[in-house]
């Protein structure tokens, strides 16, 4: 991934952070505000040429990206998918057990995670119904020390993401946490589940 312009990546991310801040002030609801964050991560992060490298895709695969937020439900027994992009429509509001796969690992360890190539992780669990992702990022969301969820970004091509992408995703996750708290996300979540 040495050919990526990381300075341009950082510049575009900063532009998006400013745009999110401006638009979120007028968001109609919490999910609309959080969609600004997930859309920015979806649009900005990842190597757009990753799928062209030999071995990045297996036969029958094609590059696509998904992004969303897994919120921790009030009982802390599952994650609930919201503000998603690229996921099949039937997975809107998908709930998975809190300890499932790498979202479960992030919840348990409360740390960001990068899986540049999921093939290197035998314990990687397929959450997307339509296909197995090849590269993934997870950025935990905290408010006053409590983990409220995580921002997830994944692509089918292996090595789509690198450390610079994770660093920016974590910044987006912090902004998502702030928006969630500003919109009384805990009350909103209780009304959903």
């Amino acid at each position: 991934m040495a050919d990526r312009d990381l300075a341009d990546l950082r510049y575009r991310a900063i532009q998006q952070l400013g745009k999110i801040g401006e638009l979120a002030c007028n968001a109609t609801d919490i999910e609309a505000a959080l969609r600004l964050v997930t859309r920015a991560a979806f649009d900005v992060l990842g190597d757009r040429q990753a799928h062209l490298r030999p071995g990045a895709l297996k036969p029958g695969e094609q590059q696509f990206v998904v992004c969303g937020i897994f919120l921790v439900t009030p009982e802390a027994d599952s994650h609930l998918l919201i503000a998603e992009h690229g996921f099949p429509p039937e997975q809107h509001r998908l709930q998975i057990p809190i300890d499932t796969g790498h979202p479960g690992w992030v919840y348990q360890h409360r740390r960001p995670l990068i899986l540049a190539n999921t093939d290197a992780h035998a314990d990687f669990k397929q959450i997307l119904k339509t296909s197995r992702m090849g590269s993934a990022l997870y950025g935990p969301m905290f408010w006053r020390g409590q983990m409220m969820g995580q921002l997830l970004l994944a692509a089918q091509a292996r090595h789509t993401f690198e450390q610079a992408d994770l660093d920016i995703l974590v910044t987006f996750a912090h902004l998502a946490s702030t928006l969630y708290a500003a919109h009384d996300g805990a009350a909103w979540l209780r009304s959903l589940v």
Side-chain angles (χ1 to χ4, degrees), residues 41-84:
F42 183 88
D43 287 345
V44 172
L45 300 177
D47 182 350
R48 302 295 183 217
Q49 304 301 312
H51 65 286
L52 301 175
R53 286 193 202 94
L57 295 170
K58 293 181 179 179
E61 292 181 340
Q62 61 183 12
Q63 177 66 319
F64 70 99
V65 178
V66 298
C67 187
I69 292 175
F70 274 130
L71 292 177
V72 176
T73 58
E75 302 80 24
D77 61 352
S78 60
H79 284 111
L80 176 73
L81 179 64
I82 66 155
E84 69 278 0

Side-chain angles (χ1 to χ4, degrees), residues 141-162:
M141 296 166 50
F142 295 97
W143 187 253
R144 297 185 175 153
Q146 181 179 349
M147 187 172 170
M148 62 187 74
Q150 58 193 278
L151 180 57
L152 161 73
L153 181 64
Q156 184 143 70
R158 287 122 192 99
H159 299 287
T160 296
F161 306 113
E162 60 183 293

